[in-house]
Amino acid sequence: MTPAGSLLLAKDLRKSYGSTPALDGAEFSIHPGEVVAVMGPSGSGKSTLLHCLAGIVTPDSGSILYNGRELSSMKDAERSALRRSEFGFVFQFGQLVPELTCTENVALPLRLTGVRRKEAERTALKWMERLEVDDLGGKRPGEVSGGQGQRVAVARSLVTSPRVIFADEPTGALDSLNGERVMQLLTEAARSASAAVVLVTHEARVAAYSDREIVVRDGKSRDMMLEHAV
Ligand SMILES: Nc1ncnc2c1ncn2[C@@H]1O[C@H](COP(=O)(O)OP(=O)(O)OP(=O)(O)O)[C@@H](O)[C@H]1O
Ligand SMILES: [Mg+2]
């Protein structure tokens, strides 16, 4: 597939924090259903790249096309709606809401888009079964293990059937056995739903679950797919 079929396509992204350049000409592309690992040392700009691609951080310059549309040309409300309906997120420490049960946490993104409670929880349960955490539904995040919590977070990222899942070190807080299981279930679930996954990691064994790797160094990344297509 060529970059023309890219779901997300970024070129020459630049972003500085004060005098620190976090991104210095980064490139990125992903196709529907593809799992791309973003690798590189600490401080190289991986999270900044992910946040720019997800429309959370606005780059100083460069272009990001989602389905052929420039993110920077969208109004804030439109970008937020896109994030809620088409993007899913999994972060390093799960970031579940401690006051809600696991089922309520998974159902939350649907509730935020106006889906009724019963229906939202029914859909939540379907994803929790898939991630093998359906028996934890009534528990709160503080009452489950780290690996279970991450699987609940993965279920939550999938519940709206997003087109893209952004995962920033999703197994960072887990031992290798739990990390492998979370990665297996995340990539299987994403593939079954034809969702693309942008996976930030610095671990080779996590990147092994991807179809392709993009390496970020000093805010620069080269996307071999883009290069081969010219
Ligand atoms: N909000 C911020 N304010 C100031 N500097 C920032 C901010 N976010 C990132 N940076 C700086 O930008 C650079 C890239 O940071 P980023 O978080 O993208 O790195 P990373 O590759 O995700 O690192 P890690 O693997 O440690 O998570 C670093 O020098 C960092 O200190
Ligand atoms: Mg980071």
Side-chain angles (χ1 to χ4, degrees):
M1 215 189 265
T2 64
S6 295
L7 187 59
L8 255 177
L9 178 66
K11 284 204 175 146
D12 202 18
L13 292 184
R14 289 168 200 276
K15 172 76 188 173
S16 292
Y17 291 104
S19 59
T20 311
L23 291 180
D24 185 20
E27 303 190 332
F28 183 86
S29 70
I30 194 165
H31 293 125
E34 195 181 22
V35 180
V36 173
V38 177
M39 306 221 29
S42 180
S44 59
K46 303 181 299 292
S47 294
T48 307
L49 176 61
L50 180 128
H51 293 151
C52 286
L53 294 171
I56 296 169
V57 163
T58 308
D60 299 332
S61 66
S63 135
I64 303 170
L65 298 176
Y66 176 70
N67 258 334
R69 287 200 56 206
E70 181 65 54
L71 281 191
S72 63
S73 73
M74 295 179 188
K75 295 209 168 74
D76 282 352
E78 197 181 356
R79 229 177 1 250
S80 301
L82 183 77
R83 275 202 301 273
R84 272 199 306 271
S85 60
E86 312 237 336
F87 295 168
F89 297 90
V90 194
F91 295 106
Q92 187 165 10
F93 298 107
Q95 293 185 350
L96 299 170
V97 182
E99 292 82 6
L100 300 180
T101 66
C102 288
T103 303
E104 286 165 347
N105 264 285
V106 176
L108 187 61
L110 287 173
R111 299 282 289 140
L112 292 176
T113 61
V115 177
R116 294 246 270 259
R117 185 191 179 95
K118 264 211 164 133
E119 192 190 334
E121 294 194 351
R122 201 165 41 233
T123 309
L125 209 60
K126 191 186 83 185
W127 284 106
M128 291 172 78
E129 277 167 18
R130 187 150 226 162
L131 275 301
E132 301 170 354
V133 285
D134 49 308
D135 54 334
L136 304 175
K139 293 196 171 179
R140 290 178 210 285
E143 301 165 332
V144 305
S145 76
Q148 289 167 338
Q150 274 304 58
R151 280 184 273 147
V152 171
V154 169
R156 184 181 58 180
S157 77
L158 286 156
V159 78
T160 56
S161 300
R163 304 319 313 152
V164 190
I165 295 158
F166 294 94
D168 196 350
E169 307 270 6
T171 61
L174 303 179
D175 62 52
S176 60
L177 196 65
N178 267 304
E180 300 264 329
R181 191 71 191 128
V182 168
M183 279 314 302
Q184 231 169 32
L185 292 169
L186 168 62
T187 48
E188 269 172 29
R191 287 205 166 93
S192 74
S194 304
V197 181
V198 183
L199 170 68
V200 168
T201 183
H202 52 251
E203 291 179 79
R205 67 178 173 82
V206 173
Y209 287 91
S210 71
D211 301 313
R212 190 157 61 84
E213 292 173 17
I214 290 181
V215 178
V216 186
R217 270 185 216 291
D218 300 326
K220 297 179 175 65
S221 67
R222 276 174 61 223
D223 188 325
M224 301 314 273
M225 286 286 281
L226 292 181
E227 228 154 78
H228 287 156
V230 186

